[in-house]
Each structure stands twice: as C-alpha cells, then as structure tokens.
Amino acid sequence: MFDLSTEGTTKRKSASLDQNGRALAEMRPKTGNALDTGAMQALHRRLMGYYLRELDRQGLNRAQMALDQDFYDGLQWSEADAAELEGRGQKPLVYNVIATTVDWVIGTEKRARTDFKVLPRRKDDAKPAERKTQILKYLSDCNRTPFHVSRAFEDAIKVGVGWMEDGVQGDDEEEPLYSRYESWRNVLHDSAATEPDLYDGRYVIRTKWADLDVASAMFPKRRAVIRKAAERADEFRGLSLYGDEAMDDPEFSLDNVGRFGPEDLDAAYRERVRLIEIWFRMPVKTQKIAGGSFAGEVFDPQSPGHIEETESGVAEIAEKVTMRVHVAIMTTSGLLYLGPSPYRHNRFPLTPIWAYRRGRDNLPYGMIRRLRDIQEDINKRASKALYILSTNKMLVEEGAADDLDELVEEAQRPDGVMVVKAGKLGAVRIDVERELPQYHLELMSRSIAMIQQASGVTDELLGRRTNASSGKAIISRQDQGAMATAGLFDNLRFAQQVRGEKILVNVEQFMTEEKAFRITNMRGTPEYITVNDGLPENDIVRTKADFVISESDWRATIRQAAVDELLDLMSKLAPTAPALVMAMLDLVVENMDVPSREELVKRIRAITGQSDPDADEPSPEMQQKQQAEAMAQQLQMETAIASLQKVKAEAERTLAQAEKLRADLVGANVGSQQKALAAAREAIAVPASADVADHILAESGFKAQSDKDAMAAAAEAAAAQQTEQPPPPAPGGVEPQQAGGLP
C-alpha cells in the first residue's frame, strides 16, 4: 500500500499537482474538500469502472489460479468427489507429483540467485557508480530482498504471476527505500497491456482490507467516506460484490471460526473496510528533462543533478504532454487520496514476474495449469485401483440369503462369514476383478511420466537413477530437461532488470543526505562506505548510471559441464603449455560452485599476477603489487646503469693504460733501433765480431726474421714435395740451406 507518510516528501521531491496535472488542478474547489467535487466524483466512477472491469474480465482465470495454488497445497479433490469417496468408505488420497516438479524450479531460483552491478555512463562517474552498487546491495540486505523475490517467483511458477513493489516510505526507523513481496490475490493489472513490464498499460490496481480505526487514522478527513464503505462491506459481506473469491477468501475466513456463538462473534467482530489503491496513467502537461544524463526523467526542482545540468546548458526543461503516473486511494464510496506519482521514473511501483501468458487474452497461468489434468488422473487412477482391491462384487440369486445387507457386509470383510440358505451356496458368486487394478496402476505410472515430459523436470534433474549410464548422457538429458524451464528464469531476469532500473532512480532521487553504512562480502568481512559526504567520488545524486544484471547461468548442470570441459582442456595443455594453464586458472575457479570462491580467485590472481577482467580500477592489492614491481624494475634498471658506468670507467682506464703502453713501446722500439744501428756500425767496423755475435744470439734462442722465413719456406717445400708439386722459391732467392748465416 502506498505510504502516505511520504506525502510531504512527495511535495518536496516532485512537482505539485498544479505543475504536473493541470487537469487535476482544475478539479479543485475554492471551498470544501477537493475530493468531493463533481469532477472528482466522476474520476472516482471512472477508476471504479477500471477496477470492476478487470475484476469481471479476470475473474474466471483468477479462480483457476486459486485452484492451481490449491493443487500445490494438496487440495486436489473437489468437494463433490471427496464426499463421494468418503461416502463409500475411502479417503480422498492425494499423490502430489506436481509439488516435486514445482519445488525443483523454485529451489533452482533459490540456489542460483542473480547478481547485479551499476555501470557509469561516463568514465569520470566510475567511482559514484561503484558507490551506487554498494548502496543497492546494502538496501537489498536491509530489506531482505532476495527472500521477497523468491516468494514472488513462487507465485509466478504456481499461478502465473508474482508481484514485487519498490517504493519509498517515511518511517524513520527503517530505510526510506523498500522492496517487498505483494500477493497476487491483491493485484489486478491492465489486461489490455502486452508488454511484460506493463509499459503500455494504463493502470495497476491493488486492494487491501484494513481495520476501520486504522483506515480512519490514515485519512482523518475522510472518516465519513470510510464509515460508509465499511457499512456497505458489512451489507454484502460474503457475496464478493466488489471482489472475488481469490481476493476475499482469506478475509472472509476470519469469520468462519466455528467455535463461538453469535454473541461471541459480535463481541470479537472486527470492523473492516476495503481500500483500493490504483496507479494510473493520465495525459497531462509535464516538465521533463531534455538532453544530458537525466534525459526523459520528470523534472525534479530538488535534484542537484537536474539543477546543475539545466543551469549549465547541458540539458533543458521541456513541457510536453506525457502519460503521467498518478496514484489514488479510494473506497467503494469515494476518493481518499489523489496525487501524482512521487517517483520521477514515471513507472508503476509494482513489477510483475510472469510465468506464461495466454495467447487469446494475455492472462497469466503457471506450470500447474499444464499439469493439473494429469495430476487429477493420477489421483483417480490410484483411488480406483485401491477401491477395486478393497471391495468385492457379488452375484446373488434372489432368496439366497435372509438378510442381503448382512451378506454384502460380510463379503467385504477379510474375515467375513456369509450365511446362505441350504442348497443356495452356488447361487452366490464373488467376482473380485483382480486383473483391473494393474491396468489402472499402469496408466497412473504413465501419467506420472507424462508430468515429467510436460514440465521438463525429469528424473535426471531430480537426481534419480535412470537408464542413462554415462556421465555425459546424464548431463545431456539434464540440459534438455532444463531447456523446458529456461523461459521462466528468463522472465525472472527481465523482471529483476526492470526493478533494478526503478530502484536505481529512487536512490538517485531520494538518498540525497550523507549516509554511512556497512556492507559485507561472502565471507562476512565488513566494509564501511560513506556517500554524499562532499567528495565527488561519493556523490550519488549528481550523476546518472545504468543498472545491469550479471550474466550467470542458473543451471548448475550447465555450469558444471562447462567447468569439466575447461578442466579437461587444461589437463591436455599442462604438459606442453603450463604457463597458459596458470593464466586461465583463475577463470576456471571463478565458474565453480565452491565455498569461498571469490577468496580462492583472489589468491590465485595474487600468485599468477592476473587482474580482474571486470574491475574498472585495479584493486588495492594489485596496485601495491604493481607499485612493488615498478620499484623493483626501477631498482634493477638503476643497478644496470651503475654497472654499465663502472664498466665504462674501467674500459676508459684500461684504454688509458694501453695508450701509455703503446707510447712506451714506441719509445722502446726507437731505442732498440738506435741500439741496432749502433751494433751494425760496430760489426761493420769490426767484421770478426759478427760471428761471435751470431753465436751468442743463437745460444740465447733468438730467431732472426730471415730464419723464420726460411723455416716457413722449407715447410712449404716439404708439403709440395709430398703432393708432387715443385716447392716455391725461398724469399729473396736464398736457398734454404744457406738461410741463417752471414756471407
């Protein structure tokens, strides 16, 4: 029910009625209550027309939806059939096969709930988008949203549609933004709408029964209207004039206590009134944002983002005729509240989760509707077989027994004693027809198998033993069976996407104050976040973001099969490419259904150096590692440069020493040449000393260059002689035997 405590917030956060709905403004009287004018009474009649039209159009289908839910709860026999069974001494036994089928689908949703993420529209808004993701997860924890979604999904599977409500409330003790489940019994939708998010629908209607004193406290100025509606409800109580059985059975069952007398009921009677809440679209001139990040939203003069973009010229305010969502709360006697929707997303706060929709009229139905006839056949076949096995047929000639009733009664007893007249024993024949029950049981087994085929929830999905022997065959059958229910989970993802878009806009609209909150990861580690504290990266109201559902396969068998394929591939790559295996290890573990999966992936990436492919920015650990690697690389580079400089200095020192040695060698050579010339002059002056000098040099091991040349020539001559080639002439024409001597 729309929380009227947000009425003041609505006036602050949204434009007034005069600004958003001039058609409504013209209905206001100069004096008296605005809801009592002729125009308002006409509007009330029109809205009641919407309500009664849908109540009549959807009545038969809603009765079938209630019956579908009864079948899941085990109420599978009609009152007439149950009375007939009990009349012949049988219990109306129920073999609830479809409950297991439905429970598998419901359990699959609980096991593989989808995750979400908020993405920025601009790169500079990445940090605020991350803060919005965190605050949405915080709100999900506070509101216990996954459990509410599961309840709505259960309704969708059983009866065809489930409802979730996302709105704002004024209770200071709880979070202002809430998400909660709403029973399908209380909601009527525009049956002419064909879009799954009801974007083309004109209205969504919800009814609630409230105590008279509570309703009067909520609308103190409309107590007379409420009292009149309560008296009318008392007058037609039980006839469902303004409701149907699906809607009013829980309410009217409060009076069927049975243990008390009329005087006690009068004393304990609760005065109740039916409140009708209708969210409807009406064409009015509305100020909307054109251009910029917030394009298409209803202009909010209290939004910092709207004000900044319009004042800076990035966006402008355009007044155009729009199907503006309004909300009215009323009774069958008159209006209690009327105003524009407080939400600038301009959508209905109630979001449907569909199972199937009938082609002829778009009315919903669930899995049980397709299986209900087969389930009835199972119960009746089992009952028939049990009855045949428990009873006997008798053929009795007239006058065979004095008391025919006693004879029949004794024949049905396993220890019965039948008394017949003398000579009439052959006139009594018992025909038990023991061969018929097996045929009924065989048809019953076929019906049970047919439920699996029609629903897609086979024995392989339920983990039961079948004729499939290999693991691949089992997985293949599980995949084929799961395909039959794929559409149900696709509808759930769509509904979650639509809900997330609404919640995100509500966060950007209503969470304008500074707030500190705590979120926890899968291992329970707390992280403390602050938003709207003045820092640009924590500002969530001046930026626009998009809500997306994370892609994750809801079928455990498909995920496991994919992991098995990857593990098999890694085992083949490991001997030849171990580096490639390490590079893909984190992604394989990320797809496994194991506890502490995120921590395992985190540690693997810390060892392998891989980064998170979905991270907009490196994690603090990765940043530290990158900084450490950069510092190590810088240090290595500096060490290499220092080593090069040392080697260069050593080379320059060695080069200088070589230059010095060369200079010294040149000087030594000059001195040696001078000494050689002096020795030559002395030898020429004293020829007899030359032989003595040659002998001294030869004894000291000195070899003259001419001797070296002669020895080389001799070696070449010897080699040429071995190859029958003439030896080359000695250098300078000197014979080898004369080399080394003086003339």
Side-chain angles (χ1 to χ4, degrees):
M1 183 68 67
F2 175 63
D3 190 350
L4 290 178
S5 58
T6 61
E7 184 175 354
T9 306
T10 304
K11 293 179 180 178
R12 294 192 303 270
K13 297 296 180 182
S14 303
S16 65
L17 267 175
D18 294 331
Q19 189 176 4
N20 282 301
R22 294 177 182 174
L24 291 179
E26 294 173 355
M27 299 178 183
R28 293 182 181 274
K30 296 181 179 179
T31 60
N33 197 306
L35 302 177
D36 290 333
T37 63
M40 287 297 180
Q41 292 177 5
L43 178 62
H44 174 260
R45 288 192 296 270
R46 180 155 63 94
L47 297 179
M48 282 298 299
Y50 292 160
Y51 172 67
L52 295 175
R53 175 180 179 273
E54 294 300 336
L55 198 63
D56 181 65
R57 190 168 190 266
Q58 302 182 33
L60 293 177
N61 186 64
R62 284 170 58 84
Q64 293 296 315
M65 293 166 67
L67 187 58
D68 293 337
Q69 196 165 42
D70 286 343
F71 261 67
Y72 176 82
D73 296 330
L75 306 175
Q76 299 181 0
W77 289 92
S78 65
E79 294 182 1
D81 290 343
E84 182 179 351
L85 288 176
E86 291 177 353
R88 64 190 189 191
Q90 276 189 275
K91 289 289 185 181
L93 298 179
V94 173
Y95 298 83
N96 202 345
V97 182
I98 58 176
T100 304
T101 301
V102 173
D103 286 340
W104 182 87
V105 179
I106 294 173
T108 302
E109 183 275 332
K110 290 180 171 63
R111 184 179 179 182
R113 293 185 170 114
T114 56
D115 198 6
F116 59 85
K117 191 174 184 181
V118 176
L119 300 180
R121 291 189 175 181
R122 297 178 302 181
K123 185 177 181 180
D124 297 339
D125 299 336
K127 203 64 179 179
E130 181 181 350
R131 290 289 181 260
K132 292 176 184 179
T133 301
Q134 294 167 336
I135 202 167
L136 286 181
K137 293 184 181 297
Y138 165 75
L139 291 173
S140 177
D141 293 340
C142 292
N143 295 320
R144 302 180 181 90
T145 302
F147 302 101
H148 290 279
V149 172
S150 294
R151 290 184 65 189
F153 184 71
E154 287 182 23
D155 281 354
I157 299 304
K158 295 175 185 177
V159 304
V161 64
W163 294 91
M164 283 292 298
E165 180 187 12
D166 301 283
V168 61
Q169 61 187 359
D171 192 348
D172 295 335
E173 297 180 358
E174 299 180 3
E175 290 298 327
L177 298 181
Y178 66 85
S179 298
R180 58 192 176 208
Y181 157 85
E182 183 57 68
S183 173
W184 67 271
R185 296 176 179 269
N186 301 329
V187 182
L188 296 170
H189 67 282
D190 185 358
S191 55
T194 58
E195 295 295 329
D197 60 349
L198 300 181
Y199 184 77
D200 57 340
R202 286 292 302 269
Y203 46 82
V204 173
I205 308 169
R206 171 169 50 180
T207 66
K208 283 289 184 70
W209 285 92
D211 290 332
L212 182 61
D213 56 343
V214 175
S216 299
M218 294 174 60
F219 307 95
K221 297 181 179 180
R222 308 295 291 169
R223 290 180 179 176
V225 177
I226 295 173
R227 168 60 67 179
K228 184 177 180 181
E231 293 173 352
R232 183 176 298 178
D234 294 340
E235 181 180 354
F236 296 102
R237 199 168 184 82
L239 299 181
S240 300
L241 183 62
Y242 294 102
D244 56 17
E245 292 183 0
M247 184 184 299
D248 293 338
D249 275 351
E251 174 66 21
F252 294 149
S253 63
L254 297 176
D255 295 338
N256 298 329
V257 288
R259 289 170 31 187
F260 305 101
E263 64 280 357
D264 297 322
L265 288 177
D266 291 340
Y269 178 70
R270 293 174 61 179
E271 292 184 297
R272 307 273 282 176
V273 61
R274 187 198 304 273
L275 300 181
I276 303 172
E277 173 189 357
I278 177 169
W279 297 81
F280 63 99
R281 288 189 171 98
M282 185 169 64
V284 295
K285 285 189 177 180
T286 308
Q287 291 183 340
K288 303 187 71 173
I289 299 293
S293 302
F294 300 92
E297 290 189 359
V298 176
F299 174 67
D300 184 357
Q302 302 295 328
S303 169
H306 287 192
I307 297 300
E308 288 183 3
E309 290 200 352
T310 54
E311 290 182 350
S312 63
V314 176
E316 60 181 10
I317 302 175
E319 189 175 40
K320 58 179 66 176
V321 176
T322 305
M323 295 297 291
R324 184 77 164 93
V325 176
H326 292 74
V327 57
I329 301 178
M330 59 188 182
T331 67
T332 56
S333 302
L335 291 170
L336 304 179
Y337 174 86
L338 178 66
S341 170
Y343 310 115
R344 71 188 188 200
H345 55 60
N346 201 34
R347 298 184 184 182
F348 300 134
L350 290 164
T351 304
I353 303 175
W354 305 102
Y356 308 108
R357 300 181 74 180
R358 207 158 57 190
R360 64 167 67 178
D361 50 16
N362 289 323
L363 295 181
Y365 66 94
M367 287 184 63
I368 297 177
R369 186 77 60 86
R370 296 179 173 182
L371 311 175
R372 208 170 65 193
D373 292 341
I374 307 176
Q375 178 63 58
E376 285 184 338
D377 183 72
I378 292 173
N379 292 334
K380 291 186 176 181
R381 293 290 178 187
S383 177
K384 178 68 74 174
L386 181 61
Y387 183 72
I388 294 174
L389 291 174
S390 303
T391 59
N392 297 318
K393 289 183 178 180
M394 297 182 63
L395 296 177
V396 182
E397 290 185 2
E398 187 177 359
D402 294 332
D403 191 342
L404 187 59
D405 293 336
E406 182 181 357
L407 180 67
V408 172
E409 182 179 354
E410 290 295 328
Q412 303 303 326
R413 294 172 58 91
D415 58 347
V417 178
M418 296 180 289
V419 179
V420 298
K421 293 181 179 180
K424 294 291 187 179
L425 185 60
V428 178
R429 183 164 59 91
I430 298 177
D431 187 5
V432 295
E433 296 182 347
R434 299 303 184 196
E435 70 280 359
L436 288 180
Q438 62 179 344
Y439 298 113
H440 285 292
L441 295 178
E442 182 179 350
L443 291 174
M444 175 183 171
S445 299
R446 292 186 179 183
S447 295
I448 293 175
M450 182 59 66
I451 284 183
Q452 294 187 4
Q453 295 179 12
S455 65
V457 182
T458 60
D459 283 336
E460 285 81 9
L461 289 178
L462 296 173
R464 297 171 181 168
R465 181 175 298 180
T466 63
N467 58 357
S469 56
S470 67
K472 289 187 176 180
I474 294 175
I475 293 175
S476 177
R477 291 189 182 182
Q478 288 176 338
D479 187 19
Q480 293 174 5
M483 287 300 177
T485 58
L488 301 173
F489 294 94
D490 194 58
N491 291 345
L492 174 62
R493 281 195 292 267
F494 178 81
Q496 290 289 77
Q497 176 68 39
V498 173
R499 288 188 55 246
E501 294 170 359
K502 297 177 186 177
I503 298 173
L504 181 58
V505 175
N506 290 344
V507 167
E508 295 169 347
Q509 178 182 358
F510 294 104
M511 301 198 72
T512 59
E513 305 296 331
E514 181 178 352
K515 182 177 181 62
F517 57 93
R518 183 193 70 228
I519 60 175
T520 55
N521 58 19
M522 295 181 63
R523 296 185 300 114
T525 303
E527 182 179 358
Y528 298 91
I529 309 297
T530 302
V531 295
N532 298 329
D533 57 355
L535 298 177
E537 61 269 20
N538 295 332
D539 193 341
I540 64 174
V541 297
R542 287 180 170 83
T543 59
K544 187 68 178 174
D546 297 313
F547 181 93
V548 295
I549 293 292
S550 300
E551 290 294 335
S552 58
D553 203 318
W554 51 268
R555 292 163 293 179
T557 56
I558 300 302
R559 292 196 305 273
Q560 186 60 43
V563 170
D564 292 341
E565 291 290 337
L566 289 174
L567 290 176
D568 183 62
L569 176 62
M570 292 172 65
S571 64
K572 295 178 180 178
L573 292 175
T576 57
L580 182 59
V581 173
M582 292 300 296
M584 60 189 296
L585 180 60
D586 59 326
L587 299 178
V588 176
V589 176
E590 194 173 30
N591 286 325
M592 292 182 176
D593 287 328
V594 295
S596 304
R597 178 180 57 189
E598 293 183 354
E599 183 64 23
L600 289 174
V601 173
K602 180 179 178 181
R603 295 187 181 188
I604 291 173
R605 286 171 177 166
I607 295 174
T608 60
Q610 300 292 333
S611 60
D612 186 357
D614 295 329
D616 297 328
E617 297 180 359
S619 62
E621 294 81 3
M622 185 59 65
Q623 291 179 354
Q624 293 178 0
K625 184 176 181 180
Q626 292 176 353
Q627 292 176 358
E629 292 177 351
M631 293 176 62
Q633 186 176 5
Q634 182 68 22
L635 180 61
Q636 184 178 3
M637 185 177 297
E638 292 177 355
T639 303
I641 293 175
S643 299
L644 289 174
Q645 292 176 347
K646 183 178 180 180
V647 171
K648 180 180 178 181
E650 188 69 24
E652 291 176 351
R653 190 181 308 109
T654 303
L655 182 61
Q657 292 176 355
E659 289 292 333
K660 182 179 180 182
L661 290 175
R662 187 172 64 82
D664 294 343
L665 182 62
V666 171
N669 289 338
V670 172
S672 299
Q673 291 175 0
Q674 291 177 351
K675 293 178 180 179
L677 291 175
R681 286 195 297 268
E682 292 178 358
I684 294 173
V686 186
S689 62
D691 294 336
V692 177
D694 289 341
H695 180 73
I696 293 173
L697 292 174
E699 290 295 328
S700 63
F702 175 77
K703 296 292 182 181
Q705 183 63 38
S706 58
D707 293 340
K708 296 178 181 180
D709 295 340
M711 292 176 65
E716 292 179 359
Q721 185 176 3
Q722 292 178 357
T723 56
E724 297 181 353
Q725 293 182 358
V734 181
E735 294 299 329
Q737 63 272 18
Q738 296 178 350
L742 293 178

